Amino acid sequence: MLIMRRRALVLAGGAALLAGRASAQAARASAVLADPVYPFVLPPLPYAAGANEAAIDVATMELHHDKHHAAYVANLNAAVKDVPQVAAMPLSAMLAKLPELPEAIRNAVRNNGGSHANHSMFWPVMGGSGGEPGGELGTAIARDFGSFAQLKDGFNRAGVGQFGSGWVMVLADATGKLSLVARPNQDSPLMDAKRALFGNDVWEHAYYLRYQNRRADYLAAWWNVVNWPAITERYQAALGGKLAI
Ligand code: MN
């Protein structure tokens, strides 16, 4: 039994090596996520909780994912469970149609639905090893921000400048055009029918155990765990109009 499993692993490893980079990407969970639907579930981290140690400690990752994100999912389910016309919508539609939702659940959907969308995007764009993207995405960054260094600088400034909790994100439209936004609290670009290519959570729960009040240090270190292959996958989906959240 053990020998057979080892042989299977050796064969699988050989196939991955032969197939090269495409296979390596296929082995990782896709960063192009389906539009979540009710009942909402907490997506598993696509890597071990220690995978982002270069920027984020294990305890923070576990608390952030297993407790905070899980609570947003539970609260979102509780908000919509007795409102079937809302529960029938995918998450992107709930957020895009927020002003039309019953007032009694609007804030709960805004906070917990926005949070579920933002955190679901957040996990898979990490777990990488930083560096700088090339290809079409690298070209788009140079075109829309001047250079990769200017993107990082603008992103970090927006993150530091966001008062209180919130997110800093790079949006991508269906033509591939990139733009930088900071949003307060758990607001999602899906509320404006826009799509985040990637982004970072600047609420203290994302960094406080290691960085305390030093948000700028967290933002600077975060680039070391950015997963450019995953973000490139999301960029290709954005170009095809297939980035749901
Ligand atoms: Mn968070």
Side-chain angles (χ1 to χ4, degrees), residues 118-164:
N118 288 344
H119 289 89
S120 296
M121 171 280 296
F122 183 50
W123 312 123
V125 303
M126 300 188 292
S129 51
E132 192 171 333
E136 269 185 293
L137 178 55
T139 303
I141 287 170
R143 179 194 64 210
D144 295 334
F145 298 107
S147 67
F148 182 67
Q150 284 175 281
L151 161 62
K152 273 176 75 170
D153 186 54
F155 188 103
N156 292 352
R157 282 170 191 267
V160 168
Q162 174 58 46
F163 181 78

Side-chain angles (χ1 to χ4, degrees), residues 123-234:
W123 312 123
V125 303
M126 300 188 292
S129 51
E132 192 171 333
E136 269 185 293
L137 178 55
T139 303
I141 287 170
R143 179 194 64 210
D144 295 334
F145 298 107
S147 67
F148 182 67
Q150 284 175 281
L151 161 62
K152 273 176 75 170
D153 186 54
F155 188 103
N156 292 352
R157 282 170 191 267
V160 168
Q162 174 58 46
F163 181 78
S165 64
W167 291 80
V168 53
M169 296 176 171
V170 170
L171 309 184
D173 73 14
T175 71
K177 180 162 176 47
L178 304 175
S179 57
L180 188 62
V181 294
R183 305 296 305 256
N185 305 314
Q186 297 298 339
D187 283 1
S188 163
L190 295 166
M191 288 160 53
D192 304 319
K194 293 179 176 168
R195 298 294 183 273
L197 177 63
F198 68 96
N200 195 356
D201 185 346
V202 298
W203 196 358
E204 287 177 349
H205 71 204
Y207 61 86
Y208 200 82
L209 291 181
R210 182 182 288 181
Y211 299 92
Q212 288 85 48
N213 63 324
R214 302 186 310 276
R215 187 190 286 181
D217 292 352
Y218 165 66
L219 280 157
W222 183 75
W223 295 95
N224 295 325
V225 298
V226 165
N227 189 330
W228 290 115
I231 294 168
T232 297
E233 192 189 349
R234 289 179 62 79

